[in-house]
């Protein structure tokens, strides 16, 4: 089956849905009207809607939502063909259908009774008397002690973040015999350290013989990150924090905007930036620091992933690490990132994971 056929089938099967329990208020606050901008093949959708007796207004709205995706179908087909298992192909179709039709029509696999029940339990686990102001989205980060979940970790974080990273294990892929994960003794590059959550997760996984190099440069994030790492005395020595933004080349001056976990670097001054900062490439960093192995690279750096991967080409060629790369910040990343990795001809196989009930947190896994 082609990607287009699978997507059309999912869209048509979803048109009659009206999901009232498919809005993630943990992430976005009070529910508001969903207005996805993404769209696709107007005339075919119009014809199918008319066959199913949908009114012309619905036909127009759905067709308008899908038109903008029409030029991108070849890219999505490319990723669909590269994915190594049916589970990954199915989730790609679901993600795009969700982006096109919105939360009232398409429910992603994570949305289950278990999700809502565990979120309530995790909220209760946070210490409401001990919190940090995240300066992002009005979120308060409560102190969590994760020993009861099997992790000897304490940190200031959100219930949703705990669920995604420590229960769903966002940076592991498991399907049948295929397992892609950080292992004991690994050297990990954690690109996009945020509040230190992933650095701590990886440090616990690699153990005393491993090492985590976490790249984070936003001052607000670093303040919380360092506080979280300092709470974990046994893991702190395993984590090296590098306070530079990753890019395809070192020394390039970029503007940075401090928006917590949504912080970005930009080529042009947006007017509200916190100033300029010099970039660093993974290849230059690895050479300068005598890095002798890299086993796993995770990247979630708000749309700069492709640039950072290009700056890691020699590192990837030399060590052939497993990869877990965020795709959801730019629609083009869904095919440009796997196409770039495929151009290296290193024998990578590709898988897709998705870790929310909405459009964020889509991760491309690659392994040799």
């Amino acid at each position: 089956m082609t990607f287009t056929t699978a997507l059309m089938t999912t869209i048509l099967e979803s048109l009659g849905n009206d999901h009232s329990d498919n809005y993630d208020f943990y992430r976005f606050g009070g529910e508001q009207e969903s207005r996805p901008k993404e769209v696709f093949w107007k005339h075919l959708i119009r014809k199918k809607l008319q066959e199913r007796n949908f009114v012309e207004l619905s036909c127009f709205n759905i067709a308008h939502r899908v038109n903008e995706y029409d030029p991108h179908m070849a890219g999505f087909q490319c990723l669909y063909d590269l994915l190594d298992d049916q589970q990954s192909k199915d989730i790609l179709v679901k993600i795009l259908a969700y982006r096109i039709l919105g939360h009232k029509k398409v429910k992603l696999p994570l949305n289950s009774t278990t999700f809502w029940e565990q979120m309530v339990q995790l909220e209760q686990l946070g210490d409401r008397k001990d919190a940090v102001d995240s300066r992002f989205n009005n979120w308060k980060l409560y102190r969590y002690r994760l020993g009861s979940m099997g992790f000897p970790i304490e940190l200031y974080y959100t219930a949703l973040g705990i669920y995604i990273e420590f229960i769903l294990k966002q940076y592991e892929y498991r399907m049948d015999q295929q397992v892609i994960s950080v292992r004991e003794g690994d050297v990990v590059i954690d690109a996009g350290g945020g509040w230190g959550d992933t650095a701590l997760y990886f440090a616990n996984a690699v153990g005393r013989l491993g090492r985590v190099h976490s790249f984070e440069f936003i001052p607000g994030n670093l303040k919380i990150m360092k506080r979280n790492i300092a709470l974990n005395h046994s893991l702190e020595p395993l984590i090296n924090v590098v306070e530079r933004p990753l890019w395809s080349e070192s020394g390039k001056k970029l503007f940075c905007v401090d928006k917590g976990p949504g912080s970005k670097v930009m080529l042009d001054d947006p007017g509200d930036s916190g100033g300029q900062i010099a970039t660093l490439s993974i290849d230059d960093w690895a050479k300068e620091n005598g890095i002798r192995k890299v086993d796993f690279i995770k990247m979630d750096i708000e749309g700069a992933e492709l640039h950072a991967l290009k700056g890691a080409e020699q590192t990837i060629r030399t060590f052939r690490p497993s990869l877990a790369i965020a795709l959801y910040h730019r629609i083009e990343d869904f095919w440009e990132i796997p196409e770039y990795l495929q151009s290296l001809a290193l024998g990578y196989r590709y898988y897709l994971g998705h870790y929310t009930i909405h459009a964020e947190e889509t991760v491309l896994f690659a392994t040799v």
Side-chain angles (χ1 to χ4, degrees):
M1 181 182 293
T2 66
F3 174 77
T4 302
T5 301
L7 179 61
M8 276 297 304
T9 300
T10 301
I11 287 176
L12 295 173
E13 290 174 347
S14 303
L15 291 175
N17 294 337
D18 187 14
H19 296 303
S20 60
D21 61 343
N22 197 33
Y23 182 81
D24 193 346
F25 57 83
Y26 288 106
R27 169 63 178 89
F28 300 110
E31 182 171 359
Q32 50 191 302
E33 182 66 22
S34 175
R35 301 181 185 275
K37 298 179 180 179
E38 295 83 1
V39 287
F40 127 84
W41 317 280
K42 181 188 295 184
H43 300 296
L44 183 56
I45 290 288
R46 185 185 298 273
K47 178 180 177 182
K48 294 296 183 181
L49 284 168
Q50 289 173 338
E51 290 174 357
R52 292 169 178 244
N53 297 318
F54 278 78
V55 298
E56 185 67 15
L57 178 61
S58 296
C59 171
F60 175 80
N61 287 343
I62 298 300
H64 176 70
R65 287 176 181 179
V66 276
N67 275 341
E68 288 180 8
Y69 266 122
D70 195 22
H72 304 320
M73 286 303 110
F76 280 106
Q77 182 69 57
C78 177
L79 173 56
Y80 187 85
D81 292 339
L82 284 175
L83 293 173
D84 204 60
D85 63 13
Q86 192 59 46
Q87 174 179 278
S88 298
K89 294 175 187 288
D90 291 344
I91 195 61
L92 176 62
V93 171
K94 274 282 192 178
I95 291 165
L96 187 53
Y98 178 94
R99 284 171 171 258
I100 291 169
L101 297 181
H103 71 282
K104 291 293 183 67
K105 298 297 183 184
V106 179
K107 184 178 288 191
L108 295 174
L110 179 60
N111 191 343
S112 64
T113 302
T114 300
F115 168 74
W116 297 107
E117 289 176 348
Q118 290 189 318
M119 284 301 302
V120 171
Q121 294 170 7
L122 285 171
E123 283 195 302
Q124 296 171 350
L125 186 63
D127 186 348
R128 288 300 192 268
K129 297 180 181 179
D130 192 353
V132 171
D133 183 1
S134 72
R135 299 174 59 244
F136 173 75
N137 223 27
N138 295 318
W139 288 351
K140 283 191 177 298
L141 308 182
Y142 297 104
R143 187 165 177 168
Y144 281 85
R145 297 168 176 85
L146 305 183
S148 62
M149 297 167 50
F151 295 94
I153 291 173
E154 292 186 31
L155 76 167
Y156 292 92
Y157 207 26
T158 65
L160 184 59
I162 297 292
Y163 186 79
I164 291 171
E165 290 177 27
F166 293 93
I167 294 180
L168 294 180
K169 299 182 179 179
Q170 179 179 11
Y171 299 109
E172 292 186 14
Y173 185 85
R174 295 179 181 272
M175 179 62 183
D176 297 330
Q177 302 301 312
Q178 182 60 61
V179 178
I180 303 171
S181 66
V182 171
R183 296 171 294 185
E184 188 172 354
D186 278 356
V187 173
V188 177
I189 291 176
D190 173 31
W195 295 325
D197 37 282
T198 49
L200 290 168
Y201 175 84
F202 291 139
N204 180 65
V206 303
R208 62 184 182 84
L209 297 180
R211 187 74 163 159
V212 178
H213 300 282
S214 191
F215 291 77
E216 179 57 59
F217 64 97
I218 296 295
N221 290 349
L222 281 167
K223 183 178 179 180
I224 298 172
M225 180 185 197
K226 291 178 179 180
R227 184 170 180 176
N228 277 336
I229 292 173
L231 288 174
N232 298 271
H233 303 299
S234 64
L235 301 178
E236 186 175 12
L238 307 178
I239 301 170
N240 171 42
V241 179
V242 184
E243 299 182 19
R244 296 276 293 279
L246 291 171
W247 202 251
S248 55
E249 59 185 293
S250 297
K252 191 175 185 65
K253 295 295 182 68
L254 298 179
F255 294 93
C256 61
V257 178
D258 188 344
K259 293 184 178 179
S263 300
K264 295 183 178 182
V265 290
M266 305 176 188
L267 291 170
D268 300 315
D269 189 351
D272 60 346
S273 76
Q276 285 185 299
I277 189 167
T279 62
L280 178 65
S281 77
I282 287 176
D283 285 343
D284 287 344
W285 164 82
K287 183 178 180 180
E288 291 167 6
N289 290 276
I291 300 300
R292 296 184 178 182
K293 75 165 187 164
V294 175
D295 302 290
F296 194 98
I297 297 177
K298 162 259 178 181
M299 284 188 182
D300 189 344
I301 47 178
E302 303 304 312
E305 289 82 5
L306 183 56
H307 292 284
L309 284 168
K310 289 180 177 179
E313 179 176 339
Q314 292 307 313
T315 303
I316 293 171
R317 286 188 180 279
T318 300
F319 302 115
R320 300 195 182 190
S322 294
L323 307 171
I325 312 298
L327 294 184
Y328 62 94
H329 301 108
R330 299 170 60 252
I331 196 63
E332 296 84 1
D333 284 343
F334 275 88
W335 59 90
E336 289 183 354
I337 286 175
E339 283 179 350
Y340 169 71
L341 294 173
Q342 191 69 357
S343 74
L344 301 180
L346 298 176
Y348 274 106
R349 290 176 292 154
Y350 304 94
Y351 305 86
L352 199 68
H354 189 81
Y355 301 92
T356 63
I357 68 171
H358 52 84
E360 296 175 342
E361 310 306 331
T362 306
V363 178
L364 177 72
F365 293 88
T367 183
V368 292

